[in-house]
Amino acid sequence: MEWAKLHSRARFNLASSGLAAFPLAELGARIEDLEINADGAYGYPPLLERLARKAGVEADRVVHAIGTSMANFLVLAAAADPGDEVLIEEPTYSLLVDAARWLRLDVRRFPRRAEDGFRLDPREVEKAVTPRTRLVVLTNLHNPSSAFAPPEDLRAVGEAARGVGARVLVDEVYLESLAVLGRASGSAAHLGPEFVVTSSLTKAYGLSGLRCGWAVADPALAHRMWRLNDLFGVNAAHPAERLSVLALDRLPRIAARARRILETNADGANAFLAARPDLACSPVDGGMIAFPRLLRGDVESLCRRLRERHETTVVPGRFFGAPGHFRLALGCLPETLEGGLERLARALDEAD
Ligand SMILES: Cc1ncc(COP(=O)(O)O)c(C=O)c1O
């Protein structure tokens, strides 16, 4: 995260994973829509109601949190105690691992293999769970590869977890991009009581600054998360809650803009990837990030060349524990992607 905050900025930033920022001026907010303070206890009811409707669950299963980041942290902290085993996919979004380690959980990993397109293989989870496992953690769509885990594979993971009394945390922040593209995405929240899901409006809609995240859990775990959140922020910034309500009411319009960007960029990225014999990568299919493997040369020097000579950044795969890959983000404006891919081609063509 420190690298992302301090070193990913560039004229052609293909490192930042969220959609190009949605401007406040286009949200149609009036000053009378906003207020500084509210009576809130555990969540702002109009926001909880909308989040529950969006997730298709009762409001007592929803916890509003400061981004998917805090939602993930609250789930890890509420569902496991220090010393408990958590089983986390590898590669993954590294902050999931960092948060679990910081909570003194005993982190074990199960593989998602590059040669398998990073597919979620439930047999790997079945092999790795033990009676000490309290939580299985994965991302859908997968960060960094965007691989989609279908409900039948998630159900099999759920069964393996249930067999040892564990839960499954599915971080669905990138699943929102399928919703944006109008494709049925099927949240794991409906697959059984052992599933806990987290998500936010940050990535797929360009609304990162609202920090509107949430978790969907069984009511008892949700209650524990709300209580735990009292240790951190107590309440969210109320103007952001109000703006989140407006954003959720206008989500189809916000999603239409996101869809135009993602569709254009997927075409551009797929044409680029298909034309590069030095990269191995599944075509982009609904996701907003791709994770090519570099077949010739060294990823670190490619990233350095790109930044120093070509004003372009991508994320080195070492941040995901996969140093032969790099992550390419597709949520930027199409002209940024086009310029960045041209420069990436030049950097790839330059010898190491
Ligand atoms: C898988 C995953 N989860 C959570 C986050 C953080 O999301 P948010 O901005 O909603 O806190 C990221 C950010 O890159 C991510 O990739």
Side-chain angles (χ1 to χ4, degrees):
M1 184 55 79
E2 188 184 37
W3 182 91
K5 285 184 169 178
L6 300 183
H7 303 292
S8 70
R9 269 196 212 126
R11 182 166 164 218
F12 299 95
N13 180 345
L14 308 186
S16 300
S17 57
L19 197 92
F22 185 88
L24 175 62
E26 287 179 28
L27 191 58
R30 299 161 308 163
I31 195 71
E32 52 274 31
D33 293 324
L34 298 178
E35 195 45 85
I36 293 175
N37 299 298
D39 272 348
Y42 287 97
Y44 177 50
L47 179 55
L48 290 182
E49 199 182 284
R50 283 160 177 84
L51 291 176
R53 201 180 317 134
K54 177 166 167 33
V57 299
E58 296 295 322
D60 64 352
R61 292 186 60 195
V62 177
V63 179
H64 174 231
I66 306 302
T68 320
S69 307
M70 183 58 99
N72 284 336
F73 185 85
L74 293 174
V75 175
L76 287 165
D81 291 320
D84 281 349
E85 198 173 280
V86 288
L87 190 55
I88 307 181
E89 65 182 9
E90 181 166 35
T92 196
Y93 176 55
S94 65
L95 272 78
L96 286 166
V97 178
D98 296 339
R101 292 210 169 113
W102 195 80
L103 286 162
R104 303 285 179 263
L105 306 181
D106 180 8
V107 174
R108 308 288 169 96
R109 310 299 296 272
F110 70 93
R112 296 182 67 151
R113 299 182 196 285
E115 58 274 23
D116 221 5
F118 295 101
R119 183 176 86 77
L120 173 69
D121 182 350
R123 283 169 311 180
E124 297 292 351
V125 178
E126 284 156 19
K127 272 195 277 176
V129 287
T130 77
R132 290 182 50 244
T133 310
R134 289 279 67 78
L135 200 59
V136 178
V137 180
L138 56 103
T139 54
N140 192 29
L141 308 179
H142 181 222
N143 183 5
S145 71
S146 287
F148 171 67
E152 57 274 20
D153 290 344
L154 288 168
R155 261 194 216 101
V157 168
E159 262 168 47
R162 197 170 346 115
V164 295
R167 290 186 165 94
V168 185
L169 164 59
V170 187
D171 175 330
E172 294 186 343
V173 74
Y174 291 107
L175 201 63
E176 291 292 327
S177 71
L178 289 190
V180 156
L181 293 168
R183 289 164 52 171
S185 47
S187 168
H190 306 291
L191 295 181
E194 64 275 21
F195 284 93
V196 184
V197 310
T198 55
S199 193
S200 73
L201 298 180
T202 62
K203 296 286 168 200
Y205 302 98
L207 295 169
S208 177
L210 292 181
R211 308 308 301 143
C212 179
W214 62 89
V216 178
D218 61 85
L221 188 69
H223 179 70
R224 201 168 143 83
M225 289 167 64
W226 278 120
R227 295 289 310 278
L228 200 54
N229 192 53
D230 284 340
L231 294 178
F232 300 102
V234 183
N235 289 316
H238 187 57
E241 292 181 315
R242 292 278 185 129
L243 287 171
S244 299
V245 165
L246 284 186
L248 285 159
D249 286 346
R250 287 154 205 192
L251 212 52
R253 194 160 57 74
I254 298 170
R257 167 189 179 267
R259 179 178 185 152
R260 285 193 295 276
I261 293 175
L262 290 181
E263 284 180 344
T264 308
N265 285 353
D267 290 348
N270 284 336
F272 172 84
L273 291 167
R276 293 300 320 187
D278 43 5
L279 297 179
C281 188
S282 319
V284 177
D285 179 25
M288 47 194 304
I289 45 179
F291 200 49
R293 185 155 65 90
L294 183 63
L295 301 176
R296 282 197 299 267
D298 167 61
V299 168
E300 289 296 323
S301 31
L302 170 68
C303 294
R304 200 172 324 113
R305 264 199 321 275
L306 253 182
R307 194 172 48 240
E308 289 172 5
R309 297 187 202 160
H310 301 288
E311 305 174 279
T312 302
T313 48
V314 295
V315 183
R318 74 182 145 94
F319 288 114
F320 303 92
H325 293 247
F326 62 90
R327 197 190 71 181
L328 203 54
L330 310 175
C332 55
L333 294 175
E335 52 272 29
T336 305
L337 184 74
E338 200 184 320
L341 291 180
E342 270 169 34
R343 282 156 180 82
L344 177 56
R346 272 184 241 154
L348 285 165
D349 290 340
E350 290 163 2
D352 259 350

